């Protein structure tokens, strides 16, 4: 069941989206070799609370921390830990979801640790971001979920990478994950029709090697099956009653570097 939102409800979702985006702006200044993923968690937790939000991941289906931190071959849902230090050359996804006034705003970005980044890691990160915006470009009333998936999959594969199948984007609102599911692969013209009032995420995970993933014994951490790198970017989007598409989780800083696709 898809919960459509009024324009007033979409406006009410802006606060959560803006806080999540602001947190990711601030996380950029924190990322350097030697910090731990727990340092990122503590920052996200405290900044969220200090600004009137609730960190949605904390205790969500038993997730133990306030943010997901996914390094290199970790595809998603990495659990922050005092034992995991960022090192020169790592690529890391930080996935923040804040709740304000009962509404969720979900967004993630990639960061480079230090400046000594492998060319393939840079390319993968850029391709994943471009995939997100190619997906966003498909969003309009009357389009289909398959149009989004196809735009993402065809570009990622043309660049020599693969698209994760096991995790998808999702409707979002007063709950973290709602219908519809937004697969990042698919066929044009297929799948659920997009209509005014839909609010959902697009969050492609793009792998260097095979698309398959496996979940570690902690029950959360998803890694690539072949140990190759993985990159992900995520936004929360809304389709207003006018048909206008708005990105609820894009900061001014991020708009200024938005890729042209
Ligand atoms: N933010 C993730 C998403 O994009 C979900 C994380 S669930 C958690 O859907 F429990 F791991 F936080
Ligand atoms: Co999401
Ligand atoms: Co997310």
């Amino acid at each position: 069941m898809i919960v459509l939102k009024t324009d007033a409800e979409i406006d009410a979702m802006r606060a959560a989206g803006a806080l999540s985006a602001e947190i990711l702006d601030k996380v950029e200044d924190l990322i350097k070799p030697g910090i731990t993923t727990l340092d990122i968690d503590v920052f996200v937790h405290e900044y969220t609370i200090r600004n009137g939000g609730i960190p949605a991941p904390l205790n969500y289906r038993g997730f133990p921390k306030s943010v997901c931190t996914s390094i290199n071959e970790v595809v998603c849902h990495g659990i922050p830990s005092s034992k995991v230090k960022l090192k020169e050359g790592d690529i890391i996804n930080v996935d923040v979801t804040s709740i304000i006034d009962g509404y969720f705003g979900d967004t993630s970005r990639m960061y480079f640790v230090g400046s000594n980044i492998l060319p393939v890691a840079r390319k993968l990160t850029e391709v994943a971001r471009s995939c997100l915006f190619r997906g966003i470009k498909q969003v309009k009333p009357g389009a289909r979920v398959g149009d989004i998936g196809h735009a993402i999959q065809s570009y990622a594969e043309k660049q020599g990478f693969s698209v994760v199948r096991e995790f998808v984007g999702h409707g979002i609102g007063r709950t973290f994950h709602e219908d519809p599911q937004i697969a990042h692969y698919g066929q044009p013209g297929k799948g659920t029709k997009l209509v005014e009032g839909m609010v959902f995420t697009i969050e492609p995970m793009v792998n260097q090697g095979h698309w398959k993933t496996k979940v570690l014994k902690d029950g959360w951490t998803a890694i690539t099956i072949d140990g190759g790198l993985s990159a992900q970017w995520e936004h929360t989007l809304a389709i207003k009653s006018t048909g206008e598409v708005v990105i609820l989780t894009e900061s001014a800083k991020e708009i200024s570097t938005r890729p042209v696709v």
Side-chain angles (χ1 to χ4, degrees):
M1 187 202 53
I2 296 172
V3 183
L4 298 177
K5 280 83 180 172
T6 64
D7 286 347
E9 288 167 330
I10 290 168
D11 278 333
M13 291 188 71
R14 287 178 185 277
L19 177 58
S20 297
E22 183 182 331
I23 292 169
L24 289 179
D25 280 355
K26 304 282 179 193
V27 161
E28 189 173 345
D29 304 326
L30 207 72
I31 301 286
K32 51 177 83 57
I35 71 151
T36 71
T37 51
L38 188 69
D39 295 330
I40 300 171
D41 180 70
V42 168
F43 172 78
V44 170
H45 184 92
E46 287 178 357
Y47 198 93
T48 305
I49 302 289
R50 203 177 336 126
N51 287 280
I54 299 166
L58 187 60
N59 302 320
Y60 176 76
R61 298 180 183 227
F63 192 80
K65 298 291 176 191
S66 296
V67 64
C68 298
T69 50
S70 303
I71 300 173
N72 296 339
E73 75 282 2
V74 179
V75 172
C76 62
H77 303 163
I79 303 172
S81 163
S82 61
K83 297 196 185 90
V84 178
K85 263 192 187 146
L86 307 194
K87 58 180 198 305
E88 180 76 32
D90 283 345
I91 60 171
I92 179 172
N93 173 278
V94 178
D95 190 341
V96 169
T97 308
S98 313
I99 312 169
I100 295 186
D101 298 331
Y103 285 111
F104 289 66
D106 187 4
T107 181
S108 80
R109 299 183 199 163
M110 297 298 297
Y111 303 89
F112 295 138
V113 181
S115 47
N116 207 352
I117 307 297
L118 282 177
V120 68
R122 273 187 200 278
K123 181 180 170 190
L124 183 71
T125 299
E126 274 161 26
V127 167
R129 190 172 185 210
S130 181
C131 282
L132 169 58
F133 281 92
R134 282 165 190 265
I136 291 172
K137 204 173 162 183
Q138 295 300 317
V139 178
K140 54 176 171 289
R144 301 271 176 171
V145 166
D147 297 328
I148 300 172
H150 181 262
I152 291 169
Q153 181 183 15
S154 58
Y155 182 70
E157 292 180 355
K158 195 176 72 180
Q159 296 299 317
F161 299 132
S162 67
V163 172
V164 168
R165 312 278 205 271
E166 297 94 329
F167 302 96
V168 296
H170 49 91
I172 184 167
R174 288 197 175 275
T175 55
F176 203 160
H177 297 104
E178 338 183 315
D179 289 340
Q181 294 197 1
I182 310 291
H184 305 108
Y185 54 91
Q187 292 169 268
K190 301 280 173 127
T192 303
K193 191 183 277 190
L194 305 181
V195 299
E196 295 84 347
M198 281 186 179
V199 182
F200 56 86
T201 73
I202 304 179
E203 49 183 295
M205 287 139 277
V206 180
N207 291 355
Q208 180 185 7
H210 200 280
W211 56 263
K212 247 184 127 19
T213 67
K214 66 172 181 192
V215 176
L216 299 185
K217 288 203 186 85
D218 62 22
W220 283 103
T221 312
I223 66 169
T224 56
I225 200 89
D226 57 9
L229 296 170
S230 186
Q232 178 180 29
W233 295 77
E234 174 176 25
H235 275 310
T236 298
L237 320 166
I239 311 179
K240 301 213 298 182
S241 66
T242 55
E244 189 198 345
V245 176
V246 286
I247 304 177
L248 299 176
T249 47
E250 199 178 35
S251 66
K253 189 168 163 183
E254 219 203 347
I255 290 174
S256 69
T257 64
R258 194 197 266 187
V260 182
V261 297

